[in-house]
Amino acid sequence: MRNILLLVAVCCLLSACIVKDMANSIGIKPSPSTPHAPARDGEGKEVKIWVPKNMIRLSAWPFQARGEEDRCTQGYYLGKNVADLLPTQRGIYKILPNYGNRIWAYYYYGEDIPGIDTTDWYITVFNIYADKNGRIYGCAWAKFPSEYRLEHGTSDGIRP
């Protein structure tokens, strides 16, 4: 009886792997996702993700990008000062028209949706929103195809 249960468990595990491989081979892939709670400015208005062409790449490891997504989504940066960020997270910014607030941008580049037959490459762009005194009031992220930054990115960033 124990051997039959073990055999059933192994068959279930193998069938899950086979279904995933079949989905990858026929092109069924999840689309890039956006954060559940977008950042808002000081007036409560939703802000768009800013994608500059010349922002700094931080890593090529997907698990690091997923950790950064979690820190951003869970509010890890809220209330901190921009000076507390890593220097690579403060590589480029732009000044917003209202109140002198700033958006800092950086991205992670790496394999996001791996498969045996296919591999799609994505960038995960992060925007940190800070007031004129450097206090962080928002963080947002979104995934884009790897070529998006070069094709649709803006060149309005300021290097500190």
Side-chain angles (χ1 to χ4, degrees):
M1 183 68 175
R2 192 180 326 168
N3 292 340
I4 292 175
L5 290 176
L6 183 60
L7 182 63
V8 168
V10 168
C11 288
C12 289
L13 290 174
L14 287 176
S15 66
C17 293
I18 291 170
V19 168
K20 179 183 172 190
D21 291 341
M22 284 177 21
N24 281 339
S25 66
I26 62 173
I28 299 174
K29 302 175 195 122
S31 61
S33 59
T34 56
H36 297 299
R40 301 192 179 276
D41 65 9
E43 297 174 343
K45 295 179 185 173
E46 187 176 324
V47 290
K48 289 177 56 177
I49 296 289
W50 174 52
V51 182
K53 283 185 181 179
N54 56 351
M55 64 183 148
I56 294 177
R57 178 175 90 175
L58 287 184
S59 172
W61 297 102
F63 71 90
Q64 291 173 311
R66 301 302 79 80
E68 187 71 9
E69 289 170 9
D70 189 49
R71 283 187 292 277
C72 187
T73 303
Q74 300 300 324
Y76 174 80
Y77 296 113
L78 299 181
K80 294 186 178 189
N81 196 292
V82 172
D84 297 334
L85 297 175
L86 295 171
T88 51
Q89 293 172 307
R90 294 180 279 130
I92 190 167
Y93 69 92
K94 80 173 179 178
I95 300 173
L96 297 173
N98 297 339
Y99 312 117
N101 295 348
R102 295 181 179 185
I103 300 175
W104 297 85
Y106 56 96
Y107 75 103
Y108 282 81
Y109 177 79
E111 183 179 350
D112 186 37
I113 305 173
I116 291 179
D117 296 341
T118 61
T119 302
D120 288 334
W121 291 85
Y122 288 88
I123 60 171
T124 306
V125 178
F126 293 90
N127 286 172
I128 302 271
Y129 301 88
D131 64 17
K132 63 182 175 183
N133 298 319
R135 190 178 124 304
I136 298 171
Y137 66 85
C139 181
W141 59 271
K143 294 180 187 179
F144 300 98
S146 59
E147 66 279 350
Y148 184 87
R149 177 181 62 92
L150 299 174
E151 292 176 5
H152 303 288
T154 64
S155 57
D156 58 348
I158 301 169
R159 294 253 179 223

